Every structure is written in C-alpha cells, then in structure tokens.
Amino acid sequence: DQQVKQNSPSLSVQEGRISILNCDYTNSMFDYFLWYKKYPAEGPTFLISISSIKDKNEDGRFTVFLNKSAKHLSLHIVPSQPGDSAVYFCAARDSGAGSYQLTFGKGTKLSVIP
Amino acid sequence: DSGVTQTPKHLITATGQRVTLRCSPRSGDLSVYWYQQSLDQGLQFLIQYYNGEERAKGNILERFSAQQFPDLHSELNLSSLELGDSALYFCASSPFMTGGFGTEAFFGQGTRLTVV
C-alpha cells in the first residue's frame, strides 16, 4: 500500500514558466513533509519542507503548499530553469513514530525546456 | 557534497553471492538510514541505526542485515543475492535519533548493485 503517491511520472515545462509537482498521502499520522531533488548518479538532495501546522512554506523560487484536509501537497517552482531538470521525490514522516524513517513517493521527472 | 560517503559506487555480482555496502555518515551524525530504490520505485526504507543500536526496521529482507560500528560508519550486508535485489542502495544520516521539525536527512550518492 503506497502511503505517498506522486501520480505524474513526468512533467515538461518551458523555461520561465511555473512547474507544479503534486503529491498525495494517505497516512494521517504524517506530520512533516519534504521534497528532495535527485540528479542522475547522485543521491537525493533536500529541497524544502513543511510541517503539518503550516499550509505554505517558501524558499526562493520554491514554494510548498499543504492541504491537510485533502492530504495533498504541491511544490511550485517559479520561474523554472533548465537546471531544475531532475527527479523530484515527495517524502513524509510521522515524527511521533520514534524514528526518522521517511516514506517516499516514486518521484516525478521534471524536464525544463529552454 | 552531502558529506555522506558510500562505497563502492557500483557493484556487479552473481546470484547467490554476498556483498557488503559501506556508509560513512556526515561528521557528528549519529543516525544512519538505509534505503533501497528499485527500478521505477520510490526509495524504500530498510533500517535505521542510532549510535550503534538498531532503531527502526522497514521492509528489510531476512537475507539482509546491517550494523553500525563504534566509529559510526555502517555496513549493509546482502546475502543469497537474487536478480530482484538489483537496485540503488542509499545511505542517509542525520544528527538525531528522531526527526524533529526542521531536520532533514542527508543522502549519499548510492551504491548501484547489479545481480547477474
């Protein structure tokens, strides 16, 4: 049973436009959400996070929105740049579980077209 | 550079064999996590160690085992290898046993295991 779902395996966006990556979760115990970016032949790199007590967190061109009632979060990248082309993983954590275990989605491959 | 070092980067071995993957966490990090990424799959949590003790277990097969040594490096041992064990194996580290808000795990570059 997939507790974190990224239903779009891939996304193509023109340079300068907005990229929106979506993520859904089913476990209501998740209280912290993260986005990781992964380039080929590299490990995942932390990008941005949000706790369940917030509905928005912004860091430069990256904004994460959380809709708890819908169990949905999204990552907005504005403006998109060719260097943003990578696989983006949504991850979630139950902080009360006593571990840092992350549950990941399968990832969305973003291609930013110059 | 995340500060997490994994060796080797690539490993090719035959079915039935045993391999050991190594991870050196970031300086000062006490927690080490192992994840497996199979083809077209997200990262699956395998196991966590904190300061030498097993802390949490995920979907880790009985053929797999891990340990964390006094110098905090960790090894993941995979035995009786099958074709389906071919995957990317990532190690991550963090300072704490549990993740508080505002803390993240840092990942190594991974070891690509190919079982033939």
Side-chain angles (χ1 to χ4, degrees), chain A residues 30 92-94 99-103, chain B residues 33 35 45 48 56-58:
Chain A
F30 288 148
R93 186 177 77 217
D94 171 6
S99 168
Y100 193 96
Q101 174 184 340
L102 295 174
T103 302
Chain B
Y33 317 81
Y35 286 84
F45 171 72
Q48 176 197 2
K57 219 171 204 180

Side-chain angles (χ1 to χ4, degrees), chain A residues 31-33 49-55 57 66 68, chain B residues 101:
Chain A
D31 59 356
Y32 193 63
F33 304 89
S49 62
I50 188 168
S51 74
S52 58
I53 60 174
K54 295 185 176 182
D55 56 17
N57 189 27
L66 175 63
K68 281 184 61 178
Chain B
F101 293 158

Side-chain angles (χ1 to χ4, degrees), chain B residues 4-70:
Chain B
V4 179
T5 304
Q6 289 188 248
T7 56
K9 289 188 179 177
H10 302 276
L11 197 50
I12 301 175
T13 189
T15 55
Q17 295 299 305
R18 182 180 189 274
V19 296
T20 298
L21 313 183
R22 182 188 169 100
C23 170
S24 294
R26 291 187 318 157
S27 177
D29 283 358
L30 299 177
S31 271
V32 169
Y33 317 81
W34 287 97
Y35 286 84
Q36 178 194 54
Q37 185 185 17
S38 302
L39 189 64
D40 295 331
Q41 296 293 317
L43 284 79
Q44 301 289 323
F45 171 72
L46 295 178
I47 196 163
Q48 176 197 2
Y49 276 81
Y50 176 79
N51 203 20
E53 300 286 331
E54 182 184 303
R55 187 68 187 88
K57 219 171 204 180
N59 299 321
I60 186 167
L61 299 172
E62 284 192 12
R63 301 182 285 108
F64 296 1
S65 65
Q67 54 185 325
Q68 186 179 27
F69 295 87

Side-chain angles (χ1 to χ4, degrees), chain A residues 30-88:
Chain A
F30 288 148
D31 59 356
Y32 193 63
F33 304 89
L34 308 91
W35 285 92
Y36 279 83
K37 180 170 71 173
K38 185 182 178 305
Y39 293 117
E42 294 184 11
T45 303
F46 169 74
L47 188 59
I48 192 169
S49 62
I50 188 168
S51 74
S52 58
I53 60 174
K54 295 185 176 182
D55 56 17
K56 177 182 174 181
N57 189 27
E58 191 172 353
D59 184 2
R61 297 186 296 113
F62 303 91
T63 303
V64 57
F65 295 92
L66 175 63
N67 183 334
K68 281 184 61 178
S69 60
K71 293 191 175 68
H72 176 85
L73 63 154
S74 61
L75 174 68
H76 293 211
I77 307 174
V78 184
S80 301
Q81 299 174 353
D84 296 329
S85 297
V87 177
Y88 289 79

